[in-house]
Amino acid sequence: MDQEMDRRESPELRAAFEALLDAGPEPPLPSVTDAAVAGGRRIRRRRTAVALAGALVVAVCGVTTAVNVADSRPDSVQQPLAPPTPTPTQEPTEVPSPVATPEPAAR
């Protein structure tokens, strides 16, 4: 079977390979390792940035919650609510009399 394939495709295939080899030197292959290292750096930077952003959000939420809880607490000096005590009633000593204001003359 190998000889049959060699006889059928040999001249065309050989010509194609010769053309490729005579075209010039092969381009250099890029380094897979360098690309992997650069990708790893990007991933680490992205993870660090996301972790810092998450920590910042948690801190802001914690501070906001603490401030809201502190504002809603009664002061420690303030006494607990008690029923109102009656205030002593004072009788007015003297009621001021209305002062008459002069009306402007009609023209």
Side-chain angles (χ1 to χ4, degrees), residues 11-39:
E12 295 97 18
L13 192 57
R14 186 173 300 251
F17 280 132
E18 290 292 327
L20 284 174
L21 291 174
D22 291 338
E26 292 184 21
L29 290 175
S31 172
V32 179
T33 306
D34 292 341
V37 169

Side-chain angles (χ1 to χ4, degrees), residues 32-50:
V32 179
T33 306
D34 292 341
V37 169
R41 284 188 193 130
R42 279 192 300 270
I43 290 171
R44 273 195 306 273
R45 274 189 250 133
R46 189 175 301 143
R47 283 183 188 162
T48 303
V50 168

Side-chain angles (χ1 to χ4, degrees), residues 10 18 25 27 30 36 44 50 53-55 59 67-72 75 79 81-82 88 93-96 99 106:
S10 183
E18 290 292 327
R44 273 195 306 273
V50 168
V67 168
N68 287 336
V69 167
D71 285 346
S72 67
D75 291 338
Q79 298 297 324
L81 293 176
T93 54
E94 192 175 310
V95 177
V99 178

